[in-house]
Amino acid sequence: MSLANFEEDFNHSQLEQEALDLWSRENIYAYDANSDAETFSVDTPPPYVSAAHLHVGHAMSYSQAEFLVRYQRMLGKNIYYPMGFDDNGLPTERYVEQKYKINKKKITRPEFRELCIKETQEGGAIYEELWKSLGLSVDWNFKYSTINTHCRHTAQKSFVDLYKKGRIYRSDEPVIWDTHFDTSLSQADVETLSRRGKMFDIAFKDKQGNDLVISTTRPELLGACVALYVNPQDERYADLVASGENAVVPLFGYEVPIKTSEEVKVDFGTGLMMCCTFGDAEDVAKWKKDKLDLRIIIGRDGKLLPLAGKYEGLAVDQARAAVVKDLKEEGFLLETHVVEQNVSVAERSGQPIEFVMEPQWFIRVMDMKEELLQRCDEIEWYPEFMKVRLQHWIEGLKYDWNISRQRFYGVPFPIWYDEDGNVVVAKDSELPIDPSEQQPAGYEGQNLRPELDVMDTWMTSSLSPQINANWAGGETWGIENMDDIFPMGVRVQAFEIIRTWLFYTVVKSHLHHDSLPWKRVMISGWGLNEQGKKISKRDLEKYTDKDGYNRYEPAALIEKYSADALRYWAAGSHLGQDLKFQEKSVKAGRRIVIKLWNVARLTQMLIGEASEEVKNTQVEFSQLTPLDQWLLTRLHQTTEQVTLGFDKFDYAVGREALEKFFWSTYCDDYLELVKERFWKAEQYSDAERASAVTALQQSLRTLLGLYAPYMPFITEAIYQRCFKEAEGTSSLHITSFPQVDTAIAQQPIAQSVKVMLAALGGVRQLRSANKISAGKVLPQVWINSEERPLDPSMLNAAARCETLSINTEVHTVVDISETIQVYLPEDKEQKQAIEVTLALPVE
């Protein structure tokens, strides 16, 4: 192999494009439906399409999953690795509204949808380009958009199937509402924030005019009060409860009953609790259980309704201030306290949620918590500790799954209502269908009213395994037999969407197929900024230097440091752990990229020094020199560690083992020592040089295979230049992953090799302690050891000294020297050590 192919200052962008062209031209990552190999299918997150929010955190999580995919491909499995884009629902609508500065309520539904489709197509193209440049080995023949025909068909089929099974129902009851985006939400769309607030002690009155004091953080809901509650064991209110006396609501003057509930805490405040329609989930539960009156005073827009009297039209915060002012003036406000409170907010808008009465469609899940917990136990979790997140979510469910959204851009419900309000459901053969534009077969000319709400985006995303496996039977998808794909091999995702994407997917698979959707789940942590907070769109917006470079943008980092360098940073945390972003870590990845390139150049140069006979002689392990045996033994041990890590879905284990081997064992020790066999060939036999050639070729080839899942571009570039011709395989990434030879991995290391390595390490330590550069020649080095090092000539060259003395007896240290005791590698338990002494160079 000519060194002309190994440019000294290589251009990583050029090498990356060469690899991308090769992979595309040879269709390296295509799924083969006719293959007899074991299928490994991957259910990967369909990200929301908004080109403005991609950051290095996304690159991290997708790379971590892809390390596993590449490893499985090199095990010989038939990889099915599709990619989707989630481009329907609230995030897309919000992005379009912000970009075009429009209010969707002021344009037509078709006009708004057209803008959404335009943006999702453009955003999807940007995503695809980024994922390709990052080296994701996706089969782009299987690319889906959650709003396309294939996905709409799948989502509507799911609705119809669950409706027929009696799992879907429509109900007019209190639902969680986002007043900013004017849409209902499900429990999974709500986050809890802690903040400082005010608690108000307010005096209700009994009929005798006595105070009945309640404590609340929401005095603006007084006009919605429908009952007061006390604990049945609270003796303070026993007479009130027994007499059936009512309480008078301050400012509003109407009466409400006093009821009992075991959930009221006797020792909290006064032991009286106000129940309103509706302040929180507890209010909803009590309203349903005790069939209380309904007094809705907060509307869909977050403003007070006519039932609020003089406060009508005020926003919640304004109403709170006005009510508090009036309570104080009327003498009903007794005290105000500053408290820490938990506030439920809509995940997307960040606004406190409200409860409103709006007819919605629901999937019944509350009655199958135990079944879902059983499914949770059946999943193989990587890492195992993530399992509890799903368990806690299921145990904490309070509501059935609300699947209705009051938006424009989403999958339509395949239903209509006749003049009597009866539901008309589309037939399977009519799917996908848009009821706002089409009538169901057999109802031509009838006055049907289409359902204008759209489905929750998770109604589609939760079906990603069914979409991938072609459950709906789309002719253009390319999968004919669903059983070939479903259940899928593994779900890869971040931990924060366990409560949404993972949970909903389990629900759908359980209800539709009575099975898990996949066998295993691989959960990643967050990418954090330098301050230890989750990287967000705000980080992208606030950091751009004068040249337009933004360190949080994956594309910018790839251009500056290479995709392999960014991927290498992504492998820096163990599975499930958060990873702090530091640009210096990406730089460190680039150093490995460059070092691999230079190591390959050096290897080819050294081999080029040998005769043709030496080059073509393959030496069996038992005939290798002790140093070469040591190298390959350590390499097989490293291969074993990398393999064990990947088998447990923990890529970081392999990266750590590789980094230690590559820098210390391979570059610092072996390559420094082996050079002498080629550069002073007259001192060594052909057999010794042939041994070195064999070790160099095997070690470089194995390193390429081990590094391939992490750094696909540089490893491909080196493979093409060094091994493709001999192996006859078009790409490194469809060759076999390096195999461990247990006999070699367990081979004992010659004591003379240990002495030589310890001596070399001791010299380096003394150089460092005395701030002597690695390139500066030392006048004299003494090695005091009962055992001689393997090859004093090699050691002398690697240590860079004029004179090397080997002493097997007691040695007297000269004045201008420094001495260190160094333990022999792998003999630390026996505390075997040698003494290394060097004469300091005279300045």
Side-chain angles (χ1 to χ4, degrees):
M1 174 59 64
S2 170
L3 282 179
N5 290 325
F6 278 94
E7 307 91 296
E8 187 171 356
D9 296 320
F10 74 96
N11 183 323
H12 72 259
S13 297
Q14 179 181 333
L15 296 183
E16 287 168 356
Q17 191 57 54
E18 288 175 5
L20 290 171
D21 291 343
L22 167 69
W23 299 337
S24 175
R25 183 173 65 251
E26 299 291 336
N27 222 9
I28 296 298
Y29 303 129
Y31 168 71
D32 183 359
N34 299 314
S35 172
D36 293 329
E38 177 186 349
T39 295
F40 184 81
S41 53
V42 188
D43 187 18
T44 197
Y48 282 120
V49 176
S50 166
H53 90 289
L54 278 174
H55 54 66
V56 290
H58 296 102
M60 181 204 81
S61 60
Y62 280 84
S63 294
Q64 289 175 349
E66 208 263 346
F67 301 150
L68 172 69
V69 174
R70 286 187 177 274
Y71 169 70
Q72 294 289 331
R73 183 181 289 108
M74 294 179 75
L75 292 183
K77 295 181 182 178
N78 186 23
I79 302 297
Y80 180 60
Y81 188 20
M83 178 63 72
F85 298 115
D86 200 352
D87 45 21
N88 77 80
L90 184 55
T92 304
E93 289 199 10
R94 187 170 99 175
Y95 177 66
V96 168
E97 287 172 328
Q98 291 174 340
K99 179 173 180 178
Y100 291 93
K101 297 180 174 55
I102 58 175
N103 183 337
K104 71 181 182 69
K105 296 178 180 179
K106 296 183 179 179
I107 65 173
T108 66
R109 186 180 292 249
E111 288 173 330
F112 187 75
R113 281 180 175 171
E114 186 177 341
L115 289 176
C116 289
I117 291 172
K118 173 178 178 292
E119 288 303 318
T120 54
Q121 289 175 341
E122 293 178 0
I126 293 172
Y127 272 52
E128 182 174 341
E129 185 63 28
L130 173 63
W131 294 153
K132 286 179 177 177
S133 70
L134 190 59
L136 298 193
S137 56
V138 168
D139 183 350
W140 291 101
N141 295 307
F142 294 97
K143 177 179 66 174
Y144 65 86
S145 151
T146 55
I147 200 64
N148 70 12
T149 300
H150 178 61
C151 293
R152 283 187 285 114
H153 188 179
T154 308
Q156 290 186 341
K157 178 175 180 175
S158 170
F159 179 91
V160 172
D161 183 54
L162 295 182
Y163 184 85
K164 290 177 180 178
K165 290 177 176 177
R167 272 286 158 187
I168 286 184
Y169 66 94
R170 183 171 171 80
S171 178
D172 187 2
E173 59 182 75
V175 292
I176 304 169
W177 200 266
D178 184 334
T179 58
H180 179 77
F181 288 119
D182 191 23
T183 185
S184 64
L185 303 172
S186 64
Q187 185 177 340
D189 299 317
V190 178
E191 294 181 334
T192 300
L193 301 181
S194 294
R195 70 180 186 187
R196 303 194 88 185
K198 291 182 178 180
M199 179 78 76
F200 302 93
D201 292 347
I202 301 171
F204 283 62
K205 300 289 186 180
D206 63 16
K207 289 184 177 179
Q208 289 72 42
N210 301 312
D211 287 347
L212 298 173
V213 181
I214 62 98
S215 297
T216 182
T217 58
R218 300 205 61 184
E220 71 277 10
L221 285 175
L222 276 175
C225 181
V226 291
L228 295 186
Y229 277 84
V230 299
N231 190 291
Q233 306 304 318
D234 194 335
E235 296 181 356
R236 292 172 294 178
Y237 305 109
D239 291 342
L240 282 175
V241 174
S243 64
E245 189 166 339
N246 292 338
V248 180
V249 179
L251 298 184
F252 291 86
Y254 64 90
E255 295 183 8
V256 295
I258 301 173
K259 293 182 170 291
T260 60
S261 171
E262 296 283 357
E263 296 174 357
V264 178
K265 296 178 181 179
V266 176
D267 57 353
F268 180 78
T270 63
L272 274 168
M273 187 182 80
M274 176 174 69
C275 177
C276 303
T277 54
F278 297 95
D280 55 26
E282 290 184 22
D283 287 348
V284 174
K286 287 180 171 57
W287 174 77
K288 286 184 177 181
K289 178 178 179 293
D290 292 339
K291 296 180 173 51
L292 302 173
D293 290 341
L294 184 64
R295 293 181 61 88
I296 298 293
I297 68 167
I298 297 180
R300 290 173 41 155
D301 60 359
K303 294 181 179 180
L304 270 63
L305 298 171
L307 198 59
K310 61 182 288 189
Y311 309 108
E312 179 186 357
L314 296 179
V316 167
D317 288 345
Q318 295 173 323
R320 182 176 305 153
V323 168
V324 168
K325 177 177 177 293
D326 291 345
L327 286 170
K328 187 180 297 184
E329 291 177 353
E330 296 290 333
F332 294 114
L333 181 61
L334 305 185
E335 281 193 65
T336 301
H337 316 273
V338 176
V339 295
E340 291 292 329
Q341 61 177 150
N342 293 327
V343 180
S344 296
V345 300
E347 181 185 26
R348 294 293 172 184
S349 69
Q351 293 295 309
I353 62 161
E354 299 293 348
F355 287 84
V356 303
M357 296 288 290
E358 288 287 339
Q360 306 285 295
W361 286 98
F362 296 87
I363 295 178
R364 190 177 289 106
V365 295
M366 290 295 291
D367 62 340
M368 58 180 190
K369 283 188 178 184
E370 291 303 319
E371 297 171 52
L372 295 175
L373 287 170
Q374 177 61 38
R375 290 295 186 199
C376 179
D377 288 338
E378 294 171 7
I379 298 169
E380 291 180 36
W381 290 83
Y382 298 92
E384 175 68 23
F385 66 79
M386 287 293 181
K387 175 181 176 180
V388 71
R389 290 176 177 266
L390 182 58
Q391 289 175 326
H392 286 172
W393 178 254
I394 294 171
E395 291 166 353
L397 283 175
K398 299 176 182 178
Y399 319 101
D400 285 335
W401 178 8
N402 177 0
I403 58 173
S404 296
R405 296 295 180 268
Q406 292 64 47
R407 306 296 292 180
F408 282 2
Y409 190 56
V411 177
F413 286 96
I415 51 178
W416 301 258
Y417 305 96
D418 65 19
E419 293 179 346
D420 297 324
N422 298 310
V423 176
V424 177
V425 182
K427 297 181 177 65
D428 288 347
S429 59
E430 297 176 299
L431 305 179
I433 194 168
D434 187 342
S436 67
E437 299 176 0
Q438 299 163 267
Q439 288 277 83
Y443 287 85
E444 293 80 2
Q446 295 191 33
N447 186 22
L448 295 184
R449 176 173 57 86
E451 172 63 80
L452 295 180
D453 284 355
V454 297
M455 296 185 194
D456 172 16
T457 186
W458 294 111
M459 269 292 285
T460 309
S461 300
S462 63
L463 294 162
S464 52
Q466 289 88 341
I467 291 169
N468 292 326
N470 199 19
W471 179 47
E475 295 181 0
T476 61
W477 185 242
I479 299 296
E480 294 184 5
N481 186 2
M482 180 181 178
D483 293 339
D484 291 342
I485 304 298
F486 188 92
M488 299 190 74
V490 63
R491 152 68 62 86
V492 295
Q493 65 167 76
F495 71 86
E496 76 268 22
I497 52 174
I498 287 176
R499 76 181 196 273
T500 50
W501 192 36
L502 195 151
F503 170 69
Y504 289 141
T505 308
V506 170
V507 168
K508 284 291 191 72
S509 183
H510 178 71
L511 293 177
H512 288 305
H513 314 289
D514 192 25
S515 76
L516 287 173
W518 3 254
K519 303 164 188 173
R520 293 153 288 199
V521 296
M522 175 181 175
I523 308 295
S524 65
W526 276 344
L528 307 178
N529 62 21
E530 292 86 342
Q531 291 72 45
K533 297 181 179 180
K534 182 185 178 184
I535 299 172
S536 66
K537 182 180 176 181
R538 289 185 294 274
D539 290 306
L540 286 172
E541 293 171 342
K542 73 182 180 183
Y543 180 84
T544 302
D545 67 17
K546 58 182 177 59
D547 298 320
Y549 170 71
N550 190 314
R551 65 172 176 261
Y552 294 112
E553 288 184 351
L557 288 165
I558 289 171
E559 181 179 359
K560 186 173 183 179
Y561 297 110
S562 80
D564 288 331
L566 181 55
R567 290 169 63 99
Y568 200 74
W569 162 75
S573 69
H574 289 277
L575 182 62
Q577 295 179 358
D578 297 339
L579 178 60
K580 184 178 289 188
F581 175 77
Q582 293 179 319
E583 196 165 351
K584 66 180 181 181
S585 299
V586 184
K587 291 180 183 178
R590 178 171 174 78
R591 283 196 293 272
I592 293 182
V593 171
I594 294 172
K595 190 67 173 179
L596 266 174
W597 182 260
N598 289 335
V599 161
R601 292 185 76 251
L602 174 63
T603 298
Q604 296 307 302
M605 183 172 66
L606 292 177
I607 293 174
E609 299 282 336
S611 66
E612 289 302 314
E613 182 180 354
V614 167
K615 291 178 189 175
N616 295 324
T617 301
Q618 285 296 310
V619 183
E620 294 295 324
F621 179 83
S622 61
Q623 302 301 310
L624 296 174
T625 68
L627 182 66
D628 297 332
Q629 287 186 347
W630 162 77
L631 173 71
L632 295 186
T633 292
R634 289 289 295 112
L635 183 56
H636 278 269
Q637 291 170 353
T638 302
T639 302
E640 187 172 38
Q641 291 174 282
V642 175
T643 302
L644 286 173
F646 273 126
D647 285 344
K648 294 179 180 179
F649 289 28
D650 197 342
Y651 44 81
V653 170
R655 199 197 90 153
E656 291 165 2
L658 268 174
E659 187 163 309
K660 182 178 179 181
F661 174 85
F662 180 71
W663 286 114
S664 179
T665 301
Y666 196 63
C667 297
D668 290 347
D669 291 340
Y670 181 75
L671 291 180
E672 290 300 317
L673 290 165
V674 80
K675 293 175 187 176
E676 195 77 350
R677 268 186 265 179
F678 296 94
W679 291 348
K680 291 188 178 178
E682 69 281 358
Q683 298 181 14
Y684 298 90
S685 67
D686 282 353
E688 288 173 312
R689 286 195 297 280
S691 173
V693 168
T694 297
L696 284 169
Q697 288 178 328
Q698 289 186 13
S699 58
L700 178 60
R701 179 62 182 86
T702 300
L703 277 171
L704 292 182
L706 295 176
Y707 269 124
Y710 302 101
M711 301 191 296
F713 292 103
I714 186 63
T715 53
E716 183 73 274
I718 296 172
Y719 178 82
Q720 294 294 318
R721 288 159 173 78
C722 297
F723 298 101
K724 178 184 177 180
E725 185 176 348
E727 294 186 9
T729 304
S730 59
S731 169
L732 168 67
H733 299 289
I734 54 174
T735 63
S736 296
F737 196 76
Q739 299 296 302
V740 178
D741 186 317
T742 305
I744 294 177
Q746 294 176 350
Q747 178 76 15
I749 306 301
Q751 198 72 0
S752 59
V753 173
K754 294 179 182 178
V755 172
M756 188 160 68
L757 295 171
L760 185 57
V763 171
R764 291 195 183 113
Q765 289 184 50
L766 290 172
R767 280 181 180 273
S768 177
N770 291 279
K771 299 181 180 178
I772 302 171
S773 69
K776 190 157 190 174
V777 177
L778 299 168
Q780 178 80 44
V781 172
W782 293 271
I783 306 298
N784 301 315
S785 170
E786 294 179 2
E787 175 95 29
R788 289 179 63 81
L790 175 67
D791 189 325
S793 178
M794 280 189 196
L795 178 57
N796 188 56
R800 293 181 178 83
C801 59
E802 292 180 1
T803 305
L804 177 71
S805 299
I806 310 297
N807 305 290
T808 56
E809 299 178 358
V810 177
H811 173 67
T812 303
V813 180
V814 296
D815 293 336
I816 57 170
S817 66
E818 286 220 357
T819 301
I820 187 174
Q821 278 202 334
V822 185
Y823 291 111
L824 273 59
E826 302 173 31
D827 280 342
K828 290 184 179 180
E829 290 185 4
Q830 286 73 37
K831 301 296 183 185
Q832 296 186 52
I834 63 171
E835 186 179 73
V836 178
T837 306
L838 59 84
L840 302 180
V842 179
E843 296 296 337

